[in-house]
Amino acid sequence: MNNKFRIGVLGSGKGSNFVAIAEAVAAGKIPAEIAVVLSDVETAGILGHARERNIPAQYIAPGLYRTKLDEAAEHAFVAALQKAQVDLIVLAGFMRVLKGDFLRAFEGRIVNIHPSLLPCFPGLQSWKQALDHGVKVAGCTVHFVDAGVDSGAIIGQSAVPVLDNDTPETLHQRIHAAEHELYPRCVAALARKEITVEGRRVIWK
Ligand code: GAR
Protein backbone atom coordinates (compact mmCIF):
# COMPACT_ATOMS: atom_id res chain seq x y z
CA MET A 1 0.00 0.00 0.00
CA ASN A 2 1.40 3.44 -0.89
CA ASN A 3 1.68 6.16 1.73
CA LYS A 4 -0.92 8.54 0.31
CA PHE A 5 -3.36 10.13 2.75
CA ARG A 6 -6.39 7.83 2.72
CA ILE A 7 -9.98 9.02 2.96
CA GLY A 8 -13.09 6.99 3.80
CA VAL A 9 -16.41 8.60 2.86
CA LEU A 10 -19.76 7.82 4.50
CA GLY A 11 -23.03 8.96 2.95
CA SER A 12 -26.72 8.14 2.91
CA GLY A 13 -27.92 10.16 -0.07
CA LYS A 14 -27.28 11.33 -3.57
CA GLY A 15 -23.60 12.00 -2.97
CA SER A 16 -23.05 15.41 -4.59
CA ASN A 17 -20.52 16.37 -1.92
CA PHE A 18 -18.69 13.08 -2.50
CA VAL A 19 -18.59 13.90 -6.24
CA ALA A 20 -17.14 17.36 -5.51
CA ILE A 21 -14.43 15.80 -3.33
CA ALA A 22 -13.71 12.96 -5.79
CA GLU A 23 -13.35 15.51 -8.62
CA ALA A 24 -10.98 17.60 -6.50
CA VAL A 25 -8.91 14.47 -5.79
CA ALA A 26 -8.87 13.54 -9.49
CA ALA A 27 -7.81 17.10 -10.40
CA GLY A 28 -4.89 16.91 -7.96
CA LYS A 29 -6.37 19.57 -5.67
CA ILE A 30 -6.58 17.16 -2.72
CA PRO A 31 -3.35 15.15 -2.19
CA ALA A 32 -5.14 11.97 -1.16
CA GLU A 33 -6.85 8.81 -2.28
CA ILE A 34 -10.47 7.92 -1.59
CA ALA A 35 -9.97 4.43 -0.19
CA VAL A 36 -13.58 3.42 0.40
CA VAL A 37 -17.17 4.71 0.31
CA LEU A 38 -19.70 3.24 2.73
CA SER A 39 -23.44 3.76 2.96
CA ASP A 40 -26.23 2.73 5.30
CA VAL A 41 -28.67 3.00 2.37
CA GLU A 42 -28.45 0.26 -0.26
CA THR A 43 -29.86 2.44 -3.06
CA ALA A 44 -27.93 5.62 -2.17
CA GLY A 45 -26.62 7.55 -5.18
CA ILE A 46 -23.26 7.94 -3.48
CA LEU A 47 -22.51 4.22 -3.98
CA GLY A 48 -23.17 4.48 -7.72
CA HIS A 49 -20.99 7.59 -8.03
CA ALA A 50 -18.16 5.73 -6.26
CA ARG A 51 -18.47 2.61 -8.42
CA GLU A 52 -18.46 4.74 -11.60
CA ARG A 53 -15.07 6.01 -10.43
CA ASN A 54 -13.78 2.53 -9.53
CA ILE A 55 -13.68 3.42 -5.85
CA PRO A 56 -14.55 0.50 -3.53
CA ALA A 57 -18.13 1.05 -2.34
CA GLN A 58 -20.08 -0.98 0.16
CA TYR A 59 -23.54 -0.97 1.68
CA ILE A 60 -23.61 -1.91 5.35
CA ALA A 61 -27.03 -2.55 6.90
CA PRO A 62 -27.53 -0.07 9.76
CA GLY A 63 -29.47 -2.44 11.98
CA LEU A 64 -32.29 -1.85 14.39
CA TYR A 65 -32.45 1.92 14.85
CA ARG A 66 -33.53 4.88 12.74
CA THR A 67 -31.06 7.58 13.79
CA LYS A 68 -27.93 5.63 14.81
CA LEU A 69 -26.10 2.42 13.95
CA ASP A 70 -26.74 -0.63 16.11
CA GLU A 71 -23.75 -2.34 17.72
CA ALA A 72 -23.17 -4.90 14.96
CA ALA A 73 -23.45 -2.23 12.26
CA GLU A 74 -21.10 0.09 14.12
CA HIS A 75 -18.51 -2.68 14.32
CA ALA A 76 -18.94 -3.47 10.62
CA PHE A 77 -18.40 0.19 9.66
CA VAL A 78 -15.33 0.45 11.92
CA ALA A 79 -13.89 -2.81 10.53
CA ALA A 80 -14.39 -1.71 6.89
CA LEU A 81 -12.71 1.64 7.59
CA GLN A 82 -9.81 0.03 9.45
CA LYS A 83 -9.36 -2.51 6.66
CA ALA A 84 -9.15 0.37 4.18
CA GLN A 85 -6.54 1.99 6.48
CA VAL A 86 -8.17 5.40 6.33
CA ASP A 87 -6.51 8.48 7.81
CA LEU A 88 -9.67 10.61 7.68
CA ILE A 89 -13.40 9.87 7.65
CA VAL A 90 -15.49 12.32 5.66
CA LEU A 91 -19.21 12.33 6.38
CA ALA A 92 -20.98 13.50 3.24
CA GLY A 93 -24.70 13.43 3.94
CA PHE A 94 -24.45 10.54 6.39
CA MET A 95 -27.74 10.76 8.25
CA ARG A 96 -26.97 8.78 11.41
CA VAL A 97 -25.35 9.97 14.61
CA LEU A 98 -22.03 8.25 15.34
CA LYS A 99 -21.51 6.98 18.89
CA GLY A 100 -18.93 5.69 21.38
CA ASP A 101 -16.92 2.86 19.82
CA PHE A 102 -16.92 4.48 16.39
CA LEU A 103 -15.80 7.86 17.74
CA ARG A 104 -13.15 6.24 19.93
CA ALA A 105 -11.75 4.24 17.00
CA PHE A 106 -11.18 7.40 14.93
CA GLU A 107 -10.89 10.16 17.50
CA GLY A 108 -10.18 13.57 15.93
CA ARG A 109 -10.24 12.06 12.44
CA ILE A 110 -13.92 12.41 11.51
CA VAL A 111 -15.33 15.47 9.77
CA ASN A 112 -18.84 16.39 8.67
CA ILE A 113 -20.58 18.97 6.53
CA HIS A 114 -23.76 20.54 7.84
CA PRO A 115 -26.12 22.79 5.85
CA SER A 116 -26.19 25.76 8.25
CA LEU A 117 -23.88 28.27 9.87
CA LEU A 118 -23.41 26.33 13.11
CA PRO A 119 -24.12 26.67 15.97
CA CYS A 120 -27.40 27.89 14.41
CA PHE A 121 -29.83 25.26 13.24
CA PRO A 122 -28.26 21.88 14.10
CA GLY A 123 -30.28 18.77 13.30
CA LEU A 124 -32.47 18.13 10.30
CA GLN A 125 -33.58 20.35 7.40
CA SER A 126 -31.45 23.26 8.57
CA TRP A 127 -32.19 25.31 5.44
CA LYS A 128 -35.90 25.13 6.33
CA GLN A 129 -35.13 26.07 9.93
CA ALA A 130 -33.19 29.10 8.61
CA LEU A 131 -36.04 30.17 6.35
CA ASP A 132 -38.64 29.71 9.09
CA HIS A 133 -36.50 31.76 11.48
CA GLY A 134 -36.19 34.60 8.97
CA VAL A 135 -32.39 34.89 8.94
CA LYS A 136 -30.90 36.93 6.07
CA VAL A 137 -27.69 34.89 5.80
CA ALA A 138 -27.50 31.09 5.71
CA GLY A 139 -24.67 28.75 4.75
CA CYS A 140 -22.77 25.61 5.56
CA THR A 141 -20.18 24.41 8.07
CA VAL A 142 -17.45 21.77 7.98
CA HIS A 143 -16.63 20.58 11.48
CA PHE A 144 -14.94 17.82 13.43
CA VAL A 145 -17.37 15.23 14.77
CA ASP A 146 -17.68 14.80 18.52
CA ALA A 147 -20.23 13.02 20.69
CA GLY A 148 -22.85 15.78 20.28
CA VAL A 149 -25.10 16.57 17.33
CA ASP A 150 -23.35 18.98 14.90
CA SER A 151 -21.34 20.32 17.84
CA GLY A 152 -17.64 19.68 17.11
CA ALA A 153 -14.93 22.27 16.45
CA ILE A 154 -15.54 24.29 13.29
CA ILE A 155 -13.04 23.91 10.44
CA GLY A 156 -14.65 26.16 7.83
CA GLN A 157 -17.85 28.00 6.98
CA SER A 158 -19.33 29.55 3.88
CA ALA A 159 -22.23 32.02 3.87
CA VAL A 160 -24.95 32.51 1.27
CA PRO A 161 -27.71 35.15 1.18
CA VAL A 162 -31.33 34.29 1.93
CA LEU A 163 -33.48 35.97 -0.74
CA ASP A 164 -37.00 37.29 -0.17
CA ASN A 165 -38.49 34.88 -2.70
CA ASP A 166 -36.56 31.80 -1.52
CA THR A 167 -38.35 28.50 -1.04
CA PRO A 168 -36.75 25.73 1.03
CA GLU A 169 -35.66 24.16 -2.28
CA THR A 170 -33.99 27.27 -3.75
CA LEU A 171 -32.18 28.02 -0.48
CA HIS A 172 -31.09 24.40 -0.16
CA GLN A 173 -29.69 24.50 -3.72
CA ARG A 174 -27.67 27.64 -2.95
CA ILE A 175 -26.29 26.06 0.24
CA HIS A 176 -25.46 22.86 -1.64
CA ALA A 177 -23.45 24.84 -4.22
CA ALA A 178 -21.50 26.50 -1.38
CA GLU A 179 -20.86 23.06 0.18
CA HIS A 180 -19.32 21.77 -3.05
CA GLU A 181 -16.70 24.52 -2.87
CA LEU A 182 -16.12 24.48 0.92
CA TYR A 183 -15.81 20.75 1.61
CA PRO A 184 -13.04 19.96 -0.93
CA ARG A 185 -11.10 23.02 0.33
CA CYS A 186 -11.32 21.80 3.96
CA VAL A 187 -10.46 18.19 3.07
CA ALA A 188 -7.45 19.42 1.06
CA ALA A 189 -6.19 21.39 4.07
CA LEU A 190 -6.62 18.33 6.29
CA ALA A 191 -4.80 16.08 3.80
CA ARG A 192 -1.97 18.61 3.63
CA LYS A 193 -1.90 18.70 7.44
CA GLU A 194 -2.40 22.46 7.34
CA ILE A 195 -4.90 22.38 10.19
CA THR A 196 -4.27 22.30 13.92
CA VAL A 197 -6.81 22.23 16.74
CA GLU A 198 -6.49 24.26 19.93
CA GLY A 199 -9.49 23.44 22.08
CA ARG A 200 -12.49 24.53 20.04
CA ARG A 201 -10.40 26.68 17.73
CA VAL A 202 -9.23 25.25 14.45
CA ILE A 203 -6.22 27.10 13.05
CA TRP A 204 -5.36 27.09 9.33
CA LYS A 205 -1.59 27.33 8.68
C1 GAR B 1 -25.77 18.01 2.36
O1 GAR B 1 -26.52 19.20 2.19
C2 GAR B 1 -25.23 17.95 3.78
O2 GAR B 1 -24.92 19.20 4.29
C3 GAR B 1 -26.37 17.32 4.51
O3 GAR B 1 -26.88 16.34 3.64
C4 GAR B 1 -26.67 16.78 2.29
C5 GAR B 1 -26.05 15.65 1.51
O4 GAR B 1 -26.08 15.92 0.15
N1 GAR B 1 -25.95 16.74 5.74
C6 GAR B 1 -26.66 16.79 6.86
O5 GAR B 1 -27.73 17.32 6.93
C7 GAR B 1 -25.99 16.10 8.04
N2 GAR B 1 -26.68 16.43 9.25
P1 GAR B 1 -25.23 15.03 -0.85
O6 GAR B 1 -25.59 13.56 -0.60
O7 GAR B 1 -25.67 15.48 -2.22
O8 GAR B 1 -23.78 15.30 -0.62
Side-chain angles (χ1 to χ4, degrees):
M1 196 168 287
N2 61 35
N3 55 7
K4 257 195 175 165
F5 188 83
R6 295 173 68 79
I7 297 172
V9 181
L10 268 57
S12 309
K14 65 183 173 135
S16 67
N17 278 288
F18 161 71
V19 169
I21 291 166
E23 283 177 356
V25 169
K29 293 179 186 161
I30 301 176
E33 179 176 337
I34 302 178
V36 70
V37 172
L38 303 176
S39 182
D40 59 325
V41 177
E42 199 163 13
T43 55
I46 193 171
L47 292 174
H49 286 304
R51 289 177 185 133
E52 277 165 19
R53 290 168 173 76
N54 293 320
I55 294 170
Q58 191 186 341
Y59 160 69
I60 298 178
L64 299 170
Y65 308 111
R66 211 170 45 83
T67 58
K68 61 176 185 175
L69 300 171
D70 73 11
E71 207 180 314
E74 188 175 78
H75 289 159
F77 272 84
V78 169
L81 291 161
Q82 284 173 339
K83 185 166 169 234
Q85 299 190 15
V86 300
D87 299 296
L88 179 73
I89 295 167
V90 169
L91 306 185
F94 190 67
M95 300 311 282
R96 289 171 192 270
V97 180
L98 297 174
K99 301 274 181 191
D101 280 354
F102 195 116
L103 297 179
R104 274 188 291 278
F106 302 104
E107 207 184 332
R109 293 192 288 143
I110 312 172
V111 296
N112 180 45
I113 189 151
H114 182 77
S116 78
L117 293 174
L118 290 170
C120 286
F121 314 128
L124 296 176
Q125 295 201 315
S126 305
W127 59 92
K128 190 166 181 304
Q129 294 186 53
L131 211 52
D132 290 347
H133 195 90
V135 296
K136 300 297 188 193
V137 178
C140 51
T141 303
V142 173
H143 62 93
F144 285 103
V145 173
D146 65 11
V149 176
D150 304 323
S151 59
I154 291 173
I155 301 167
Q157 293 187 301
S158 179
V160 302
V162 180
L163 306 181
D164 289 343
N165 59 355
D166 263 333
T167 62
E169 291 70 34
T170 59
L171 179 56
H172 192 197
Q173 266 173 21
R174 197 173 306 119
I175 292 171
H176 239 131
E179 291 182 339
H180 299 159
E181 189 273 326
L182 178 69
Y183 215 178
R185 201 153 48 79
C186 291
V187 173
L190 287 156
R192 292 199 185 99
K193 305 200 170 28
E194 291 173 351
I195 278 177
T196 54
V197 186
E198 295 172 14
R200 279 206 60 88
R201 300 190 66 187
V202 174
I203 315 293
W204 289 59
K205 277 189 216 154

